[in-house]
Amino acid sequence: MKALVAGDRPLPANVTKLARDALVVGADGGGERLLAAAIQPDAVVGDMDSLSAAAQEKLANRLVRDDDPNRSDLEKAVTWTRVQGADDIVVIGWSGGRLDHTLAALALAFEGVQLHDDRFRVTAVVGSAEFAAQPGTLFSLIALPEAVVSVGGARWELARETLAIGARGLHNEVGAGGRVRVECHSGKLLLLEGNFRALHD
């Protein structure tokens, strides 16, 4: 089952498309963001400290209160969707605002969750990953804190090279064939697939 989890940050322009045929869940104040986008969430999960009284009243029969102080509202909402049977989970409204919350949200990628914003789709590479896009489309790799990586089909290819967290791995481009394969031989690796071109000479 497909699920869409919205955090309490600006939602991407394609939120309506992402919500189609999905279990839609607000993570605390994310419920209000969904209402503002004219989307009725199926549930709102969290400690409700960011959801206005008006929104709480409007969504009273959909609130799932979880006061666990050791998990973020996004984590709580993702867990709740899994309990409902979701196995294809997209998180939006996760980036920007507080840097600590943004960085913590990235950890969800290592739990099989996709993170979307207006410019990137973020996933973890476990073993290998392939994707297709127009030649020249930007993508980046971020090792946490280190990974041994191979990349084929890109403008700049790698063969079992060690990436450490930092600028190396940022800004690669889809090659002429339009398909890229990334392998993570060891370590942890995030793949950020852009939806734009930013060609380097």
Side-chain angles (χ1 to χ4, degrees):
M1 179 173 66
K2 178 180 164 186
L4 179 70
V5 175
D8 191 14
R9 299 301 308 152
L11 304 183
N14 65 342
V15 59
T16 302
K17 179 180 177 183
L18 291 171
R20 194 172 299 134
D21 300 321
L23 174 68
V24 179
V25 179
D28 202 340
E32 201 146 1
R33 300 271 183 174
L34 288 166
L35 289 176
I39 296 171
Q40 277 284 340
D42 296 299
V44 177
V45 180
D47 57 15
M48 308 305 160
D49 67 345
S50 302
L51 196 64
S52 71
Q56 288 190 44
E57 185 176 349
K58 190 176 290 188
L59 298 166
N61 63 341
R62 300 170 190 220
L63 302 181
V64 180
R65 190 169 189 92
D66 185 337
D67 291 318
D68 183 352
N70 296 311
R71 296 186 303 152
S72 71
D73 290 320
L74 277 178
E75 290 172 319
K76 296 169 190 175
V78 166
T79 298
W80 188 86
T81 64
R82 284 210 170 98
V83 171
Q84 309 314 304
D87 55 5
D88 179 6
I89 304 170
V90 171
V91 171
I92 57 176
W94 62 277
S95 61
R98 284 181 53 172
L99 178 60
D100 53 349
H101 285 203
T102 298
L103 292 173
L106 288 170
L108 290 168
F110 294 103
E111 298 176 20
V113 171
Q114 302 172 41
L115 303 166
H116 286 237
D117 63 21
D118 275 322
R119 306 201 78 183
F120 288 99
R121 173 180 176 263
V122 183
T123 55
V125 179
V126 179
S128 64
E130 290 191 26
F131 66 96
Q134 288 294 317
T137 301
L138 181 143
F139 73 94
S140 290
L141 300 171
I142 298 178
L144 296 173
E146 189 174 277
V148 177
V149 178
S150 295
V151 178
R155 181 173 179 184
W156 294 285
E157 300 194 339
L158 301 174
R160 289 188 171 270
E161 293 194 38
T162 299
L163 296 183
I165 189 169
R168 187 154 188 268
L170 297 184
H171 192 112
N172 204 333
E173 296 164 16
V174 175
R179 179 168 291 275
V180 172
R181 178 177 174 84
V182 178
E183 292 182 78
C184 181
H185 304 288
S186 65
K188 289 190 172 184
L189 185 69
L190 289 175
L191 167 62
L192 286 73
E193 297 170 51
N195 60 13
F196 59 99
R197 302 175 79 206
L199 303 179
H200 274 189
D201 293 331

